[in-house]
């Protein structure tokens, strides 16, 4: 029997970066990540952080543009081609982008979008997180 990827009941509002689900308002996971890795970007000026965030968002959108329409954004061609090559080398096919994961139980109420969910492979759904940082933080 094949596993099925269920649609999440959580809806993400990008305008104000909030989540809503069945009368609940889960908080995003970013504050937790920032708390765990609080020194990662310490000392980097806010304008540099904003430029890096804008670049990351643009690359993320360009990869999503490729996955949905197979069209290349010329400005981010190098990054998108690297993404395509990684998918091909790992035998991955995109199932969906921006899948919102509901991390709710009796004590926790978080939600987070998963950048990429790939088609089932070996009985599971591989997940992808697009990053444009200079260093890869495996933890």
């Amino acid at each position: 029997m094949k596993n099925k990827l269920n649609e999440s009941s959580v809806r993400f509002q990008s305008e104000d970066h909030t989540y809503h689900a069945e009368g609940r308002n889960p908080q995003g996971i970013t504050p937790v990540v920032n708390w765990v890795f609080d020194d990662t970007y310490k000392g980097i000026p806010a304008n540099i952080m904003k430029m890096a965030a804008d670049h990351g968002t643009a690359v993320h959108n360009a990869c999503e543009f490729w996955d949905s329409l197979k069209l290349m954004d010329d400005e981010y061609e190098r990054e998108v081609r690297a993404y395509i090559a990684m998918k091909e080398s790992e035998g991955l096919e995109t199932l969906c982008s921006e899948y919102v994961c509901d991390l709710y139980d009796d004590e926790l109420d978080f939600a987070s979008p998963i950048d990429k969910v790939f088609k089932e492979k070996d009985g599971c759904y591989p997940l992808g997180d697009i990053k444009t940082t200079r260093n890869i933080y495996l933890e």
Side-chain angles (χ1 to χ4, degrees), residues 33-42:
V33 173
N34 290 340
W35 176 71
V36 172
F37 298 104
D38 65 334
D39 287 336
T40 302
Y41 301 112
K42 189 176 182 176

